[in-house]
Amino acid sequence: MDELEFRRRLVADPHDEEVKKQAEQQPELQALVEEMQAFDDFLGKSLDIDVPEGLADKIIAKQKELETEEQKVVRVSWFRRATAPFAIAASVFFAAVVFYFGGFGHPVDTGEHALAHVYYEENALQKQETVSLQTVNEKLAMFGGKFDNLPGKVVYATFCNFKGQKSLHLVMQSEFGPLTVFVVPTGQQSTIDGKDSFGDSRFEGLIAHNGKANTILVANRGTPIETFQSEVTSSLRWL
Amino acid sequence: MASKQHHYESLVRMYHKELYKFAYWLSGDPTIAEDLVQETFLRAWRALDSLQDENAAKPWLLTILRRENARRFERKQFDYAEVEQDTLVDDTSSALDDAMEQTVVQRQIANLAPEYREPLLLQVVMGCSGDEIADILELNKNTVMTRLYRARNQLKDALTTEYEPIKGASN
């Protein structure tokens, strides 16, 4: 290689084997190689900052914590099933509701389903104890998603079956009362039938279609649901 | 399961230091750097089964980290360049002259355009080869080598123009 090429390669990578070999044959180039290597060592030292103590342990602890959290979700649901047989009866009732809406040859309307679901877990709307954003995100992580922030205090976060699709059911307290959000990953079957808003005498709701999921928001009549819906969808990120 | 855990822990121990340093110089902020590394390894844990070839672990982790870093910019649109100036550390050198030179270099690295800074960090901090850098940054190798050449030249120039007056004044 000529001297120009030699210099370019040396500066780009002072440890380039071919460059080093050439310098061995041409001693006048050797000083240049040494100078660049010294500069590189110096660069390396300048960039060699201290790593926070115990970082590796912290990273591993975090992953274990997450792992336990995910196992706890499974354990609690089994516990509930074993100790609260009336929950089974309620499920049967819920199934009957779903059947009533969906059993006559046409698909269950998503809005109706969301409303039925909200009524079914109505006591969740009364909850006040905060669930951290981190806990929500750990659950959402199972779908590959993450919330940057949420427009209200989360008081309920659980996995639910939404028209046969595992989904995340959230309840937030806002100044307009409780807001329910379903994050339903778009699986292979289409669970959404294109209707964007729905409601009854008590609640109104909106469905937003987002690349990897549909977010369905249900709130008391009179709540600015458009604003909340756009806040929710814009803070939702996917891997 | 046990072997997955074992595999994960060995990856953490092997790469967390380099990744932290890389993240630090990428973001210019120790807190952000720690978050980036933490998030990178959590994602790595979830996707660990997709890592087939052990030799690919480093570029794989770097790809996750860079994606996390890009996500940060989607969220917050403000410029970190100002922050970098304030949070630079300089605690590795004993000799005053060395310390001064290192501070100058550290500041200059923060000032390098990202397209020059990133390949240089991958090379110097992460010990990546030209081919690996090209893969990670999705560039061809010639472009990478040109950027490395320019990055080092800029740093060298900065040292001679900025450092000399400092040295002169202290004499």
Side-chain angles (χ1 to χ4, degrees):
Chain A
M1 75 187 93
D2 62 21
E3 198 182 322
L4 188 70
E5 172 71 2
F6 176 85
R7 275 175 186 273
R8 290 190 71 86
R9 287 183 62 164
L10 173 67
V11 174
D13 181 4
H15 299 281
D16 185 319
E17 287 303 325
E18 284 176 46
V19 166
K20 282 198 273 187
K21 231 176 262 169
Q22 178 151 347
E24 276 165 22
Q25 289 154 11
Q26 292 170 267
E28 72 274 16
L29 298 176
Q30 192 59 40
L32 210 58
V33 171
E34 278 163 21
E35 189 201 330
M36 275 319 293
Q37 287 182 350
F39 180 64
D40 213 46
D41 286 347
F42 168 72
L43 260 186
K45 271 185 212 143
S46 304
L47 293 172
D48 189 18
I49 46 149
D50 286 340
V51 175
E53 217 167 298
L55 181 59
D57 293 331
K58 232 162 132 182
I59 293 167
I60 292 164
K62 179 86 194 161
Q63 167 261 322
K64 285 189 172 155
E65 188 189 306
L66 198 80
E67 195 75 344
T68 343
E69 190 75 20
E70 279 165 14
Q71 280 163 9
K72 225 188 296 174
V73 173
V74 177
R75 266 205 307 274
V76 167
S77 67
W78 272 107
F79 174 78
R80 274 198 200 137
R81 246 177 264 176
T83 56
F86 64 85
I88 296 169
S91 308
V92 171
F93 169 74
F94 183 50
V97 171
V98 170
F99 182 78
Y100 173 75
F101 284 113
F104 300 105
H106 50 82
V108 179
D109 178 74
T110 301
E112 291 293 352
H113 184 94
L115 288 173
H117 206 132
V118 170
Y119 282 117
Y120 173 62
E121 295 191 52
E122 202 175 353
N123 58 353
L125 302 179
Q126 312 306 325
K127 288 185 187 289
Q128 292 298 332
E129 205 184 324
T130 310
V131 177
S132 72
L133 182 61
Q134 196 188 350
T135 310
V136 174
N137 278 335
E138 280 163 5
K139 291 194 160 69
L140 196 56
M142 290 186 70
F143 304 143
K146 186 180 175 179
F147 277 114
D148 286 339
N149 51 54
L150 283 166
K153 183 179 86 162
V154 182
V155 293
Y156 187 69
T158 187
F159 289 120
C160 270
N161 184 320
F162 195 89
K163 291 173 82 174
Q165 175 70 49
K166 188 178 183 183
S167 66
L168 187 63
H169 179 173
L170 299 176
V171 176
M172 283 178 277
Q173 295 299 352
S174 77
E175 53 188 305
F176 299 91
L179 307 170
T180 301
V181 177
F182 297 101
V183 181
V184 188
T186 36
Q188 293 192 321
Q189 91 233 56
S190 168
T191 49
I192 297 299
D193 38 36
K195 193 178 169 191
D196 286 320
S197 61
F198 57 90
D200 65 7
S201 59
R202 180 176 165 192
F203 293 118
E204 54 186 330
L206 267 185
I207 304 164
H209 307 259
N210 167 301
K212 286 196 170 174
N214 294 296
T215 49
I216 300 156
L217 192 134
V218 183
N220 292 333
R221 285 215 161 269
T223 306
I225 48 176
E226 256 100 343
T227 315
F228 282 117
Q229 179 69 287
S230 69
E231 274 187 70
V232 169
T233 45
S234 68
S235 88
L236 181 57
R237 308 268 163 202
W238 298 100
L239 180 67
Chain B
M1 197 63 201
S3 74
K4 183 184 175 187
Q5 185 69 35
H6 180 78
H7 183 197
Y8 178 73
E9 288 184 18
S10 68
L11 280 181
V12 172
R13 300 212 184 275
M14 203 179 307
Y15 294 113
H16 78 281
K17 285 189 181 159
E18 286 177 334
L19 285 176
Y20 174 83
K21 288 175 194 172
F22 179 69
Y24 176 90
W25 290 110
L26 203 61
S27 67
D29 184 294
T31 315
I32 294 173
E34 197 171 327
D35 285 353
L36 280 173
V37 175
Q38 190 64 271
E39 195 61 32
T40 298
F41 277 111
L42 278 184
R43 284 183 191 273
W45 163 258
R46 293 192 193 106
L48 197 57
D49 296 335
S50 69
L51 177 66
Q52 302 293 340
D53 175 9
E54 211 39 46
N55 294 325
K58 187 165 74 177
W60 181 66
L61 289 167
L62 280 165
T63 304
I64 302 177
L65 192 143
R66 291 186 67 247
R67 210 185 294 155
E68 276 306 305
N69 189 47
R71 217 186 293 272
R72 185 168 68 85
F73 280 97
E74 278 171 26
R75 287 197 292 264
K76 298 186 183 129
Q77 293 287 348
F78 58 82
D79 187 13
Y80 278 86
E82 309 282 335
V83 183
E84 282 160 9
Q85 309 284 331
D86 303 331
T87 54
L88 293 172
V89 286
D90 169 39
D91 52 7
T92 48
S93 159
S94 47
L96 182 64
D97 268 10
D98 260 15
M100 276 179 155
E101 271 191 323
Q102 287 190 352
T103 311
V104 171
V105 167
Q106 288 174 344
R107 192 179 326 126
Q108 287 305 326
I109 283 173
N111 283 342
L112 276 182
E115 70 254 40
Y116 294 142
R117 182 172 35 169
E118 227 181 336
L120 187 73
L121 292 175
L122 287 169
Q123 189 186 49
V124 178
V125 178
M126 296 302 302
C128 292
S129 70
D131 288 314
E132 282 175 321
I133 298 171
D135 273 354
I136 293 165
L137 300 181
E138 293 172 348
L139 295 169
N140 75 45
K141 195 184 167 188
N142 282 339
T143 311
V144 169
M145 296 325 269
T146 305
R147 289 185 186 180
L148 285 169
Y149 171 82
R150 291 195 185 146
R152 268 207 190 73
N153 264 351
Q154 281 186 23
L155 290 178
K156 272 180 82 77
D157 287 352
L159 262 185
T160 44
T161 54
E162 191 174 339
Y163 176 59
E164 292 304 332
I166 298 173
K167 202 176 183 181
S170 69
N171 279 340

